[in-house]
């Protein structure tokens, strides 16, 4: 067996759930959405996370499809991200079921020590400058990378 235990878990997660994931292999942020995000939405998330210190291409995108709550939990824990973003209400509900906690829209919450935020519909918030500011205000609730308080 080569690599450390985190690399092994990451390899196993991609082997088991790769069909549900895209983006960065070892993303610092796990973005869950009920449907694949638009290119513009992915670009906005990557830019926002870069502004928070996560670097470019910090996201692993997950579209759970037919995964149940237990499988989603195993997938996220295998990725071991620093933070989680639920891009829409349906994915927030599944995330809440997976962690047995409420994941309220528009607020930050903690899931096993990770900061998580949830949108009702992230993509729709990219339409106007005012809505973009609303999205950015919520994204700023994620910890800045390297911030010991996050």
């Amino acid at each position: 067996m080569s690599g450390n235990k985190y690399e092994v878990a990451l390899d196993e997660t991609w082997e088991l759930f790769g069909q549900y994931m895209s983006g960065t292999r070892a993303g610092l942020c796990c973005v869950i959405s009920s449907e694949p995000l638009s290119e513009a939405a992915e670009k906005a998330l990557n830019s926002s996370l870069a502004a928070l210190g996560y670097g470019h291409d910090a996201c692993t995108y997950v579209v759970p499809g037919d995964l149940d709550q237990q499988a989603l939990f195993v997938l996220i824990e295998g990725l071991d991200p620093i933070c989680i973003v639920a891009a829409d209400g349906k994915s927030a509900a599944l995330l809440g079921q997976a962690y047995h906690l409420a994941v309220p829209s528009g607020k930050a919450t903690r899931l096993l020590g990770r900061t998580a935020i949830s949108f009702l519909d992230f993509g729709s918030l990219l339409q106007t400058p005012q809505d973009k500011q609303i999205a950015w205000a919520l994204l700023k609730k994620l910890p800045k990378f390297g911030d010991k308080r996050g």
Side-chain angles (χ1 to χ4, degrees), residues 105-118:
S105 178
K107 296 182 180 180
T109 191
R110 302 287 286 176
L111 301 175
L112 290 182
R114 294 180 190 92
T115 301
I117 59 172
S118 171

Side-chain angles (χ1 to χ4, degrees), residues 116-150:
I117 59 172
S118 171
F119 294 91
L120 284 177
D121 184 355
F122 179 76
S124 72
L125 291 175
L126 303 178
Q127 304 307 312
T128 68
Q130 182 179 3
D131 286 343
K132 287 179 183 178
Q133 288 300 313
I134 291 168
W136 176 236
L138 183 54
L139 285 162
K140 287 193 301 186
K141 293 182 185 230
L142 294 172
K144 288 186 178 178
F145 190 67
D147 186 346
K148 303 292 189 235
R149 297 170 294 157

